[in-house]
């Protein structure tokens, strides 16, 4: 099949050998509870892969919680993940249940794990090893049943060598590694990707969108440093500038 998933939010498109290997990896690991570390360049679709693993897992009826470790300030990330007790800090007037507890029985996707502060790395390691957490300001250990899927676009082994990331946490997370190939290594997938993305944009804009052969050739020749995210943005930009629905010019987009 050229696509994995029936809904746009989990649609992975491609039929090249690297994508076939990706589908096989998802199929192998999804039914298990194994820890997964997804690595790939920015824009390759790491969250889509994590979503697919969750959707095809026995935990699919339980929550899927996405936490971007870069988007949340370091001072708030710990309380966001683990929660806090009343009086844990100034302004903590009530107990707050963290995202990990909220996702009990489900799956937590930790994106950009390489930027997680060292102190929180230690608490995450305890969760992975003992299935327990402590709320900020608390003393009691709380049993938690969640599956962790992590992702990183940085060179995590280099972070380990430089002391920026815990060695024991890296090896724990790396139980089942998945690599997502960049778009430039699977150019044959660009035509079906364009069809899928244009169909999605056609529904959004309520008009049929098409590419001329010349426009497609230009897309095939581009190196795509931003991967599928960049391709989506280029097509959307061109769609807004094309009243006829036939995309012919790409010079202003790439």
């Amino acid at each position: 099949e050229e696509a994995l998933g029936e809904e746009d939010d989990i649609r992975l498109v491609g039929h090249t050998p690297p994508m076939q290997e990706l589908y096989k990896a998802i199929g192998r690991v999804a039914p298990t509870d194994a820890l997964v570390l997804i690595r790939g360049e920015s824009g390759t679709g790491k969250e889509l892969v994590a979503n697919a693993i969750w959707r095809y897992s026995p935990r699919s009826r339980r929550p899927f919680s996405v936490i971007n470790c870069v988007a949340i300030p370091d001072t708030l990330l710990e309380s966001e993940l683990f929660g806090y007790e009343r009086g844990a800090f100034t302004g903590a007037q009530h107990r707050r249940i963290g995202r990990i507890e909220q996702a009990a029985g489900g799956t937590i996707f930790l994106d950009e794990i390489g930027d997680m502060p060292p102190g929180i790395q230690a608490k995450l390691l305890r969760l992975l090893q003992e299935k327990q957490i402590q709320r900020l300001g608390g003393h009691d250990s709380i049993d938690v049943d969640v599956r962790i899927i992590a992702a990183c676009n940085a060179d995590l082994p280099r972070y380990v060598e430089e002391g920026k990331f815990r060695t024991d946490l890296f090896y724990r997370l790396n139980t089942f590694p998945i690599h997502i190939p960049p778009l430039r290594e699977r150019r044959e997938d660009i035509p079906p990707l364009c069809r899928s993305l244009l169909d999605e944009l056609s529904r959004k804009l309520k008009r049929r969108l098409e590419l001329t052969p010349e426009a497609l050739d230009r897309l095939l020749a581009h190196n795509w440093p931003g991967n599928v995210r960049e391709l989506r943005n280029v097509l959307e930009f061109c769609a807004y500038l094309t009243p006829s629905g036939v995309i012919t010019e790409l010079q202003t987009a790439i």
Side-chain angles (χ1 to χ4, degrees):
E1 296 293 333
E2 286 192 357
L4 175 65
E6 298 176 354
E7 300 181 19
D8 289 336
D9 64 337
I10 63 164
R11 191 168 176 80
L12 294 166
V13 178
H15 58 267
T16 53
M19 289 302 290
Q20 292 295 336
E21 289 302 313
L22 177 61
Y23 299 152
K24 291 176 184 177
I26 292 172
R28 292 188 190 104
V29 78
T32 75
D33 247 357
L35 297 169
V36 180
L37 179 60
I38 304 170
R39 295 171 65 186
E41 296 178 6
S42 179
T44 50
K46 294 184 286 295
E47 186 175 337
L48 296 183
V49 172
N51 194 303
I53 293 171
W54 163 73
R55 192 173 292 274
Y56 295 110
S57 76
R59 296 177 179 264
S60 60
R61 296 185 180 274
R62 302 298 299 166
F64 177 72
S65 184
V66 178
I67 300 172
N68 189 311
C69 298
V70 174
I72 303 173
D74 293 354
T75 53
L76 299 178
L77 184 59
E78 183 175 2
S79 61
E80 184 73 16
L81 285 171
F82 301 100
Y84 54 80
E85 298 288 354
R86 179 181 178 182
F89 50 84
T90 302
Q93 299 180 357
H94 306 281
R95 170 188 288 174
R96 183 174 187 271
I97 303 301
R99 298 277 292 276
I100 291 174
E101 281 188 82
Q102 293 175 26
T107 301
I108 295 280
F109 174 53
L110 297 174
D111 199 7
E112 303 300 345
I113 191 79
D115 292 283
M116 179 175 282
I120 305 180
Q121 291 179 32
K123 297 192 73 169
L124 177 61
L125 182 63
R126 184 186 180 196
L127 168 65
L128 300 182
Q129 291 179 335
E130 303 176 20
K131 303 293 183 183
Q132 291 182 334
I133 63 168
Q134 277 188 346
R135 300 190 190 107
L136 192 63
H139 302 287
D140 297 329
S141 296
I142 302 165
D143 294 328
V144 181
D145 173 30
V146 292
R147 181 184 192 175
I148 300 294
I149 300 175
C152 185
N153 62 11
D155 186 350
L156 212 51
R158 181 170 60 83
Y159 277 25
V160 171
E161 292 177 2
E162 295 174 353
K164 297 178 181 178
F165 199 83
R166 292 181 63 114
T167 304
D168 45 7
L169 179 58
F170 169 70
Y171 286 118
R172 198 77 177 89
L173 289 170
N174 205 38
T175 300
F176 194 99
I178 289 180
H179 172 69
I180 306 179
L183 190 54
R184 63 182 175 276
E185 293 181 4
R186 55 184 189 101
R187 293 180 188 273
E188 293 176 15
D189 287 330
I190 291 177
L193 267 169
C194 288
R195 286 198 301 270
S196 176
L197 293 171
L198 288 175
D199 286 345
E200 181 183 333
L201 285 168
S202 295
R203 291 191 295 271
K204 179 180 177 180
L205 300 179
K206 295 182 173 55
R207 56 191 174 92
R208 183 64 183 170
L209 296 167
E210 297 178 0
L211 278 171
T212 63
E214 294 76 17
L216 180 58
D217 286 343
R218 183 165 172 81
L219 294 175
L220 288 167
H222 188 57
N223 206 38
W224 300 111
N227 294 290
V228 180
R229 183 185 294 123
E230 182 187 0
L231 176 61
R232 177 191 293 272
N233 291 342
V234 166
L235 291 176
E236 186 168 9
F237 175 80
C238 293
Y240 284 123
L241 298 181
T242 309
S244 68
V246 179
I247 299 173
T248 60
E249 289 291 330
L250 294 169
Q251 284 83 353
T252 57
I254 57 175

